[in-house]
């Protein structure tokens, strides 16, 4: 069974009783360990789809299976636990607390876990080391460069060793060099067995994935394997 399976997912919003469709019958599956990019222009439904995949929103109709169970089979508390334990999120805007150290930022997801507090520092330090920021772990996040902030955000996403990492335009606020480094980190995490779902409008970032799903106007336009992956590149063109 795939890790993720969507069957005819529809999402509509209502404005003064006017129905506005955002997703119009989306169906696809993602296996554990895949690296999938979801591409589309602004307004195509990428963010809406991400919110549903990450249990941040519910579809209007259709079925979403995660780990062999439908979204409706999970209680509200179970959904929260899955978001915290099995899913990691990386956003374009980093979402770090500015006057808080890297170590404290990375530990934040553990506040909602059942991990003993005595283990938090060690777990956070391990995640920080993985992204090459050990020398900055006691600096405030506001003292870091954009690329370093995104690496800290990736460390935070890794703290609970999630099955799947959702990366929403992770290079959008970064220069070309820093963006390339972030994509190489995501590629490395995928090689460790993490499922990566990348939301992007950039072809260059999407080409780090194994498969690209194009959506337009809330529908899948294409779903293809990537022929020329940017594996092991030492440069990044934006």
């Amino acid at each position: 069974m795939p890790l993720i399976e969507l069957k005819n997912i529809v999402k509509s919003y209502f404005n003064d009783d006017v129905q506005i469709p955002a997703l119009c019958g989306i169906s696809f599956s993602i296996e554990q360990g895949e690296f999938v990019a979801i591409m589309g222009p602004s307004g195509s439904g990428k963010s809406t789809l991400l919110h549903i995949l990450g249990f941040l929103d519910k579809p209007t109709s259709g079925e979403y299976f995660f780990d062999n169970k439908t979204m409706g089979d999970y209680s509200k508390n179970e959904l929260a636990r899955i978001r915290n334990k099995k899913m990691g999120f990386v956003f374009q805007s980093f979402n770090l607390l500015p006057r808080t150290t890297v170590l404290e930022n990375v530990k934040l997801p553990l506040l909602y876990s059942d991990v003993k507090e005595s283990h938090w520092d060690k777990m956070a330090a391990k995640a920080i080391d993985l992204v090459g920021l050990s020398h900055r772990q006691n600096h405030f996040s506001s003292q870091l460069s954009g690329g370093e902030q995104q690496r800290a955000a990736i460390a935070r996403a890794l703290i609970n060793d999630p099955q799947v990492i959702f990366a929403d335009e992770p290079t959008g606020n970064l220069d070309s060099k820093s963006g390339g480094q972030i994509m190489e980190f995501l590629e490395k995490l995928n090689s460790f067995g993490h499922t990566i779902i990348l939301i992007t409008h950039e072809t260059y970032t999407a080409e780090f994935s194994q498969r690209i799903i194009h959506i337009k106007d809330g529908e899948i336009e294409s779903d293809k394997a990537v022929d020329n992956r940017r594996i092991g590149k030492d440069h990044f063109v934006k």
Side-chain angles (χ1 to χ4, degrees), residues 16-197:
D16 294 333
D17 296 326
V18 176
Q19 183 174 349
I20 303 169
L23 297 175
C24 308
I26 297 286
S27 299
F28 62 81
S29 61
I30 295 175
E31 301 291 335
Q32 174 67 42
E34 272 198 276
F35 188 158
V36 178
I38 297 174
M39 293 191 70
S42 178
S44 61
K46 298 192 304 295
S47 294
T48 300
L49 181 56
L50 172 68
H51 289 162
I52 290 172
L53 289 171
F55 288 163
L56 301 170
D57 198 1
K58 292 185 177 181
T60 304
S61 64
E63 290 184 296
Y64 173 20
F65 292 83
F66 182 86
D67 223 2
N68 299 334
K69 290 176 67 175
T70 68
M71 182 186 285
D73 289 337
Y74 293 108
S75 69
K76 196 171 182 179
N77 287 338
E78 285 176 326
L79 290 174
R81 278 197 296 273
I82 290 171
R83 280 197 303 269
N84 181 257
K85 180 64 180 174
K86 294 189 176 184
M87 297 177 174
F89 297 87
V90 180
F91 299 99
Q92 178 177 343
S93 55
F94 318 136
N95 290 355
L96 300 173
L97 300 177
R99 298 296 295 175
T100 305
T101 66
V102 171
L103 187 69
E104 294 297 324
N105 268 288
V106 172
K107 287 194 297 185
L108 283 175
L110 297 177
L111 290 171
Y112 308 99
S113 73
D114 48 14
V115 177
K116 291 182 179 179
E117 190 172 353
S118 58
H119 297 163
W120 291 5
D121 280 359
K122 185 177 181 180
M123 291 174 65
K126 182 180 178 181
I128 291 167
D129 181 61
L130 185 64
V131 299
L133 279 184
S134 293
H135 64 297
R136 301 286 264 166
Q137 73 174 24
N138 294 317
H139 287 73
F140 291 138
S141 63
S142 57
Q143 296 174 310
L144 307 184
S145 68
E148 288 173 331
Q149 289 187 60
Q150 194 60 290
R151 282 153 65 186
I154 290 174
R156 181 184 57 197
L158 288 174
I159 191 71
N160 281 317
D161 192 27
Q163 282 181 280
V164 57
I165 296 171
F166 296 100
D168 187 10
E169 302 280 5
T171 65
N173 286 335
L174 303 178
D175 59 52
S176 297
K177 182 179 178 182
S178 297
Q181 290 173 342
I182 294 304
M183 292 310 304
E184 286 167 4
F185 275 124
L186 292 176
E187 189 176 74
K188 182 179 179 181
L189 294 176
N190 179 240
S191 73
F192 291 162
H194 294 282
T195 303
I196 309 292
I197 298 178

